[in-house]
Amino acid sequence: MNYRKSMVLGIPGTYLDSEVFYEDAPFLENAPFLSTLIANPNHIGCHTIGETEKIFKGTQEMEREMISICAEQVFGGNEAEQDGYVASGGTEANIQALWIYRNYFVKEYDAKINEIAVVYSEDSHYSFAKGANLLNLRSLVVNVNSDTRAIDTRDLKTKIRDVQKEGVNFFIVNLNLSTTMFGSVDDIDTVVDFLAENNLNFRLHIDAAFGGFIYPFTNPENSFSFKNAYITSITIDAHKMMQTPYGTGIFLIRKGFMKYVCTEEAQYVTGKDHTLCGSRSGANAIAIWMILHNYGSEGWKMKMQSLVDRTTELCCQLDKLGIEYFRNPFLNIIAIRAKYISSNIADKFVLVPDKHEDPHWWKIVMMPHITKGNIDTFISELKTQTQSCISE
Ligand SMILES: *Cc1c(COP(=O)(O)O)cnc(C)c1O
């Protein structure tokens, strides 16, 4: 529904300020995202479940379609068996998952808050610490091997056993389909086998904020999909690999779980609110929808493969220089041991450290803006630096 053309009397929303955001600029005619941004539909709530606000049903339909493409075509879910929505980002989607499972354990098992723990590796995104803090849940942060970045299963077992002795019986487990810093992928089969063999009461979330739009395309045979019965929910960020505007995180979950976070008090919203954020722009769904339809699965596969190939080329050059790094062959991140990177090089090429105080690693993320020239300059400066070290 268009605020300019219909009679909308009761909604505290309207198009963007027309003195500042011109609705009649000629370039808007063929720019569906920008014109929707200006028309400003509000996608408050979750649109894959029950009733939703009628006045924005057009763009909500596009969000539903885009959610089903992600859940079914990218992540192998059965038709119409997943819910989801466009969240502000991976942070919100991860917290949404923790919130749902906390309430699920409380409702279904009468769990006390202090009997629930959130389990994730030390390489996991900080949104899990943030979420556990907000939801008053205890965190079990599991160590990883410093070379392979693989979850230390012995540490996982010990930590779980220790908290079981303190009465923790419910586990919200996160596994990463690519960590932010390393591009490492958690060994889902090993972790799940351990959890299942020990009859632990757990729910498994996958943080694919970074890897969700790349890994399934570069390594289609993997255990990170809704075909895996252990996985209940998945976070993906379109605003990382997909080059959509910020505000395009995606939360996906099997049907039957959104109800645990339905805010009954959201009485003025049709269908109530099952999301963490409240009001959000419907234009964000359109941005994702357009990218998906523009490329198609084959086009997207080629685009992601080319990023991975360029990452591999850079790794070959690093090998020649004898530089140590971590890299998953299906992803576009290279984490280089800090001893090979001078502060000059880190600065000049805007590399990102694992931690700003006392970095152990610096990472490169092969994104579409990186040219062959950028890489050649980087390698030649690394060479000069390495040679001057040797001669010293
Ligand atoms: C970026 C990222 C997030 C958080 O995403 P935001 O969109 O910044 O909220 C969460 N997890 C992983 C693995 C990420 O790479």
Side-chain angles (χ1 to χ4, degrees), residues 176-312:
N176 301 297
L177 180 49
S178 182
T179 56
T180 318
M181 181 63 208
F182 295 93
S184 51
V185 175
D186 291 336
D187 181 351
I188 181 169
D189 298 327
T190 306
V191 172
V192 159
D193 284 348
F194 163 73
L195 298 169
E197 278 162 16
N198 289 277
N199 288 321
L200 296 177
N201 196 343
F202 72 95
R203 281 285 148 190
L204 179 58
H205 173 72
I206 302 300
D207 184 1
F210 186 87
F213 279 123
I214 174 163
Y215 195 86
F217 294 88
T218 55
N219 185 22
E221 299 302 316
N222 69 70
S223 310
F224 290 90
S225 81
F226 284 114
K227 292 200 178 78
N228 185 337
Y230 289 110
I231 295 176
T232 306
S233 55
I234 303 177
T235 288
I236 330 170
D237 264 351
H239 61 218
K240 288 197 176 132
M241 293 326 299
M242 212 168 236
Q243 292 175 265
T244 50
Y246 290 115
T248 50
I250 300 171
F251 179 69
L252 303 173
I253 189 162
R254 291 184 193 274
K255 281 208 179 281
F257 283 88
M258 289 299 279
K259 64 174 187 234
Y260 294 107
V261 292
C262 177
T263 302
E264 295 293 336
E265 292 82 350
Q267 293 290 344
Y268 71 81
V269 183
T270 314
K272 314 252 168 56
D273 188 2
H274 296 74
T275 71
L276 189 51
C277 62
S279 298
R280 56 195 173 88
S281 174
N284 293 333
I286 293 194
I288 308 168
W289 190 99
M290 288 200 300
I291 302 253
L292 291 169
H293 282 78
N294 182 55
Y295 287 86
S297 55
E298 282 310 306
W300 194 254
K301 195 173 179 170
M302 276 171 59
K303 183 169 158 131
M304 291 303 102
Q305 191 57 48
S306 89
L307 289 178
V308 164
D309 291 346
R310 289 166 57 205
T311 313
T312 306

Side-chain angles (χ1 to χ4, degrees), residues 90-100 127 130-131 134-135 276:
T91 298
E92 180 189 328
N94 286 341
I95 298 173
Q96 173 87 8
L98 303 184
W99 186 28
I100 289 176
S127 46
K130 194 187 261 187
L134 277 167
L135 293 163
L276 189 51

